[in-house]
Amino acid sequence: MSRYLSIAVLVLLSLTVPSHAQFPREGVAEIPNGQPSAFAGAWAIGFPEGDGMINGDPPVTCEAPVLLQADGERRLVYVSPAGKEIVFELTEFSGRTVWFPASGGLSMLAVWTSPEEFFSYSVDLSTGRARWDDPRVYRRCL
């Protein structure tokens, strides 16, 4: 499926998601979407925080962070704490950034909440729907 067809599917399916969801779906306006340089740095990965939420330990901490590296104007290299690299092609779409894995596979949506934090949502390969109810939160390691 082409990238543009994938975006069209995401648009159509995002319109069917209930509007009562509690997690952000559109980023703050002052942070540019689709720009790998905005994501560059070391990141911990955890869960949303708030009243009534019970979270376990974050899966990734600043002691062994995920590294995100800009690779040109539209590519981002994701380096796991174990050293595994995945290259993503980024595009801006509807107030968020879509991460398409260059080698195929699971796409993600990134929604900025501040310059130091963004929510990521995986996209179901079989339906093209974002998993709006199960985000991960990336927090910049300072």
Side-chain angles (χ1 to χ4, degrees):
M1 182 176 348
S2 78
R3 179 179 349 172
Y4 299 106
L5 180 57
S6 296
I7 291 173
V9 169
L10 288 172
V11 170
L12 292 174
L13 292 174
S14 68
L15 297 175
T16 64
V17 177
S19 61
H20 64 278
Q22 60 186 341
F23 302 119
R25 295 186 183 196
E26 188 171 317
V28 294
E30 62 271 6
I31 302 171
N33 285 295
Q35 303 296 314
S37 58
F39 293 97
W43 297 87
I45 304 173
F47 304 100
E49 296 175 352
D51 293 337
M53 293 186 187
I54 300 172
N55 293 322
D57 291 333
V60 177
T61 65
C62 288
E63 286 75 36
V66 162
L67 300 176
L68 300 179
Q69 304 164 339
D71 181 21
E73 292 184 20
R74 295 286 173 207
R75 292 170 62 101
L76 184 71
V77 179
Y78 179 109
V79 183
S80 76
K84 182 177 179 182
E85 291 187 8
I86 302 170
V87 176
F88 288 93
E89 294 185 26
L90 305 186
T91 188
E92 186 279 330
F93 170 72
S94 191
R96 48 192 165 255
T97 300
V98 182
W99 297 21
F100 293 104
S103 60
L106 191 66
S107 296
M108 293 180 11
L109 302 176
V111 177
W112 288 102
T113 56
S114 80
E116 310 306 323
E117 179 180 274
F118 66 91
F119 279 52
S120 74
Y121 304 88
S122 62
V123 177
D124 186 285
L125 282 173
S126 62
T127 65
R129 291 180 188 226
R131 294 183 175 105
W132 294 115
D133 61 343
D134 189 25
R136 296 299 174 266
V137 181
Y138 283 65
R139 293 180 180 96
R140 193 178 301 272
C141 298
L142 303 175

